[in-house]
């Protein structure tokens, strides 16, 4: 059976891949183990074929791709089912984030909030990474073996998230095919690097948990007992404390927390902890990618909380990224959530500048004004905000109304048509009512 030698090689090669590509260490530092002699083969350093990717990474890509092809064959599924746990443990070794991609979250603002990890890789100009190839195989295993795979992956994820410097091996040594044991290399990997770079295992676990979050939720909805929600809550709670000093780990935590929010609704405390971590993520020393996922996580957690929080409006709004049309949707949700669940007394401090920003974005882009209409309609859910909004909006809209329909600024007439009802504009043209009256008519049409 061709799967068996392929599987064995995948297991032997995992620590070498982690050593060379994952942790970016020279091959010379590997122990002198007979199983590892193949890594000294010359073709790993010099490409034998011009179009082939050389080195450990190129060989790993070919190996993982080959294994992915094997498991598409229904004939090997009975064998794979018997060893699903060991196979999944081995495959998850290849989810370790490569050293060369550790800083990527700084270069792409939507790194954590992309619906697919592959979208972020495409934006960053990568050929599909080994992490992404392994992810696709994991998704195939879930489709093929269902909850049996999900349970195994959940345990792997939790084991890695909770991995500490004094933990046992993250990947148990004897969870491989029966004739294969590679203790010396695995022990070397753990002792040499994992003890000092614990966060790399934690990030792998968080990534994997986020990957299966929807499957876990569906399983709980169907009454499956294997989903250990209490353990998930416990490890995420611990990670809320441990991740704040590592921006990449914090971003991954908020990404996973956002994806798992439906699983976490039974615990108001973990949702509160994630909200607090999101507020930390919005602070100035973190990159935009962390700020954006902080916004998303904050919004999702707040809307699932049974005991509504009082958000620190100033700390959130003072640290938002700059508004533009690329990020307007996520920032609009953050602003409205902050106003609705924050301290009402602080609305007056921010509402004028935020409305001005939205109005100017609509005019500059010659858009349809949907963003400002959505923002105002959300805020008007609180009756006590109406007066504040009118007070802030009148100085902004009054010059536009006064100059209508003679205004010639590009995009202005279209935006006015969109953000007011036609009746409001007709009143403006014919009767010249006060700006306050027109504004109140507009606000009424937004409800």
């Amino acid at each position: 059976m061709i799967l068996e030698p392929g599987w064995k090689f995948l297991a032997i090669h995992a620590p070498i891949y982690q050593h060379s590509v994952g942790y970016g260490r020279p091959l010379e530092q590997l122990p002198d183990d007979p199983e590892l002699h193949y890594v000294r083969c010359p073709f790993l350093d010099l490409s034998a074929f011009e179009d082939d990717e050389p080195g450990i990474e190129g060989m790993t890509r070919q190996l993982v791709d080959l294994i992915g092809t094997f498991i598409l064959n229904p004939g090997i599924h009975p064998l794979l089912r018997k060893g699903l746990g060991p196979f999944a443990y081995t495959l998850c070794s290849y989810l370790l984030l490569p050293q060369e991609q550790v800083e990527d979250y700084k270069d792409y603002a939507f790194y954590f909030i992309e619906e697919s990890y592959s979208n972020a890789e495409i934006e960053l100009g990568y050929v599909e990474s080994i992490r992404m190839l392994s992810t696709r195989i994991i998704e195939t295993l879930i489709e093929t073996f269902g909850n049996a795979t999900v349970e195994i992956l959940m345990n792997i994820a939790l084991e890695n998230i909770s991995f500490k410097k004094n933990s046992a091996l993250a990947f148990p040594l004897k969870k491989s095919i029966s004739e294969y044991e590679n203790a010396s290399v695995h022990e070397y990997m753990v002792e040499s690097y994992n003890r000092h770079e614990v966060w790399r295992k934690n990030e792998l676990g968080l990534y994997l948990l986020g990957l299966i979050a929807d499957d876990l939720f569906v399983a709980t909805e169907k009454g499956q007992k294997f989903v250990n929600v209490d353990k998930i809550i416990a490890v995420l709670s611990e990670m809320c404390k441990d991740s704040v000093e590592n921006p990449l780990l914090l971003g991954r935590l908020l990404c996973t927390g956002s994806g798992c929010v439906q699983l976490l609704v039974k615990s108001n405390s973990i949702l509160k902890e994630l909200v607090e971590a999101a507020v930390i993520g919005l602070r100035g020393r973190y990159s935009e990618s962390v700020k954006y996922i902080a916004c998303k996580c904050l919004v999702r957690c707040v809307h699932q909380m049974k005991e509504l929080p009082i958000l620190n409006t100033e700390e959130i709004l003072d640290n938002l990224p700059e508004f533009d049309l690329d990020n307007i949707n996520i920032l609009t949700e953050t602003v409205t959530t902050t106003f609705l669940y924050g301290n009402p007394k602080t609305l007056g401090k921010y509402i004028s500048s935020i409305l001005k920003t939205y109005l100017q974005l609509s005019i500059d882009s010659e858009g349809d004004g949907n963003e400002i209409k959505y923002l105002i309609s959300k805020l008007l859910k609180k009756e006590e905000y109406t007066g504040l909004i009118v007070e802030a909006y009148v100085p902004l809209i009054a010059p536009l109304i006064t100059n209508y329909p003679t205004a010639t600024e590009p995009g202005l007439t279209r935006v006015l048509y969109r953000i007011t009802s036609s009746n409001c504009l007709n009143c403006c043209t014919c009767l010249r009512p006060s700006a306050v009256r027109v504004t109140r008519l507009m606000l009424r049409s937004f409800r």
Side-chain angles (χ1 to χ4, degrees):
M1 206 50 179
I2 193 170
L3 173 66
E4 199 161 343
W7 182 350
K8 179 176 179 178
F9 190 39
L10 190 74
I12 293 172
H13 187 67
I16 297 163
Y17 169 76
Q18 289 190 339
H19 175 97
S20 176
V21 180
Y23 294 107
R25 311 292 180 170
L27 291 173
E28 291 74 20
Q29 292 182 7
L30 282 169
D32 186 19
D33 190 302
E35 293 278 20
L36 307 184
H37 285 174
Y38 72 91
V39 302
R40 275 84 183 185
C41 182
F43 89 91
L44 290 174
D45 296 314
L46 300 172
S47 178
F49 305 97
E50 289 184 5
D51 295 333
D52 285 353
E53 182 181 13
I56 295 292
E57 188 167 4
M59 186 176 73
T60 307
R61 190 185 309 281
Q62 297 290 334
L63 174 60
V64 173
D65 200 30
L66 178 65
I67 294 296
T69 303
F70 288 163
I71 68 169
L72 293 176
N73 181 356
I76 63 99
H77 290 174
L79 174 64
L80 196 54
R81 187 183 296 276
K82 292 179 182 178
L84 190 57
F87 181 77
Y89 266 87
T90 301
L91 185 62
C92 287
S93 303
Y94 293 89
L95 294 179
L96 190 74
L97 187 67
Q99 180 64 34
E100 69 171 16
Q101 295 183 27
V102 165
E103 300 291 321
D104 283 352
Y105 75 97
K106 298 178 181 178
D107 300 326
Y108 181 46
F110 303 115
Y111 181 87
F112 293 110
I113 64 173
E114 285 285 9
E115 291 299 320
S116 169
Y117 181 78
S118 62
N119 291 343
E121 291 197 338
I122 291 169
E123 289 292 335
L124 289 162
Y126 285 111
V127 176
E128 193 171 45
S129 72
I130 292 163
R131 172 179 266 201
M132 198 63 247
L133 288 172
S134 303
T135 297
R136 295 196 190 286
I137 298 177
I138 287 170
E139 290 170 343
T140 301
L141 290 177
I142 294 173
E143 291 174 7
T144 305
F145 302 108
N147 284 337
T149 304
V150 175
E151 182 176 6
I152 293 166
L153 296 175
M154 178 191 69
N155 291 328
I156 297 172
L158 295 177
E159 186 175 319
N160 278 273
I161 296 171
S162 57
F163 189 78
K164 308 293 180 189
K165 285 187 178 181
N166 58 353
S167 296
L169 297 176
F171 293 100
L173 298 177
K174 299 191 179 181
K175 288 191 174 180
S176 185
I177 46 181
S178 58
E179 72 271 19
Y180 166 65
E181 290 183 7
N182 194 27
S184 61
V185 179
H186 277 282
E187 286 171 351
Y188 170 79
M189 289 299 301
V190 171
E191 294 302 328
S192 298
Y193 301 124
N194 296 358
R195 304 299 183 193
H196 305 293
E197 298 192 60
V198 168
W199 71 269
R200 302 290 294 275
K201 291 291 186 184
N202 300 155
E203 194 275 341
L204 185 159
L206 287 168
Y207 173 79
L208 182 56
L209 184 61
L211 184 66
I212 62 173
D214 289 343
D215 299 291
L216 292 171
F217 175 69
V218 170
T220 58
E221 289 291 287
K222 293 181 177 179
Q224 299 291 325
K225 302 299 183 184
F226 72 84
V227 183
N228 194 341
V229 177
D230 291 336
K231 180 64 183 252
I232 293 172
I233 291 172
V235 298
L236 291 181
S237 176
E238 190 66 26
M239 196 53 53
C240 285
K241 304 179 186 73
D242 294 344
S243 65
V244 293
E245 298 301 322
N246 185 322
L248 173 57
L249 193 59
L250 178 60
R252 183 60 64 197
L253 167 69
L254 296 173
C255 181
T256 298
S258 175
C260 290
V261 69
Q262 291 177 295
L263 275 175
L264 308 177
V265 291
K266 63 175 284 188
S267 171
N268 209 70
S269 63
I270 185 59
L271 295 176
K272 183 179 178 182
E273 289 181 61
L274 285 168
V275 168
E276 291 170 353
V279 173
I280 291 172
L282 283 169
R283 291 175 183 162
R285 65 192 183 95
Y286 293 108
S287 65
E288 283 196 340
S289 63
V290 178
K291 288 177 180 287
Y292 286 134
I293 192 59
C295 289
K296 182 177 180 179
C297 185
L298 184 148
V299 170
R300 296 202 68 187
C301 288
V302 166
H303 287 290
Q304 292 291 338
M305 294 177 75
K306 294 184 175 72
E307 299 174 19
L308 297 179
I310 299 298
L311 298 176
N312 187 327
T313 310
E314 291 94 336
E315 193 165 24
I316 295 171
L317 297 182
D318 285 344
N319 290 297
L320 290 178
E322 185 176 348
F323 285 72
D324 59 46
L325 291 176
D326 290 332
N327 65 26
I328 195 69
N329 291 335
I330 182 63
L331 294 188
T332 299
E333 291 295 337
T334 308
V335 168
T336 55
T337 299
T338 304
F339 280 147
L340 292 176
Y341 298 100
N343 187 342
K345 294 180 180 178
T346 61
L347 177 64
K349 177 181 176 182
Y350 295 96
I351 189 61
S352 179
S353 61
I354 287 177
L355 289 175
K356 182 178 180 180
T357 297
Y358 274 71
L359 188 60
Q360 194 60 51
L361 275 175
S362 295
I363 292 171
D364 291 346
S365 66
E366 300 188 36
D368 56 13
N370 279 340
E371 292 84 7
I372 195 167
K373 288 167 65 178
Y374 179 79
L375 176 68
I376 292 176
S377 66
K378 282 279 193 177
L379 295 180
L380 288 177
K381 289 183 177 181
K382 279 195 172 183
E383 290 289 339
E384 62 265 37
Y385 283 175
T386 303
L388 288 170
I389 293 173
V390 170
E391 184 180 338
Y393 207 49
V394 166
L396 300 176
I397 204 73
L400 308 183
I401 293 172
T402 301
N403 294 328
Y404 182 86
T406 60
T408 57
E409 185 175 351
L412 177 57
T413 301
R414 181 180 178 189
V415 171
L416 278 171
Y417 268 119
R418 296 291 188 176
I419 67 175
T420 65
S421 66
S422 57
N423 288 336
C424 292
L425 285 177
N426 289 336
C427 287
C428 176
T429 304
C430 303
L431 303 178
R432 295 291 181 184
S434 70
V436 172
R437 181 181 173 191
V438 173
T439 303
R440 287 192 179 279
L441 286 169
M442 289 163 56
L443 296 183
R444 192 176 303 158
S445 73
F446 290 163
R447 292 185 186 276

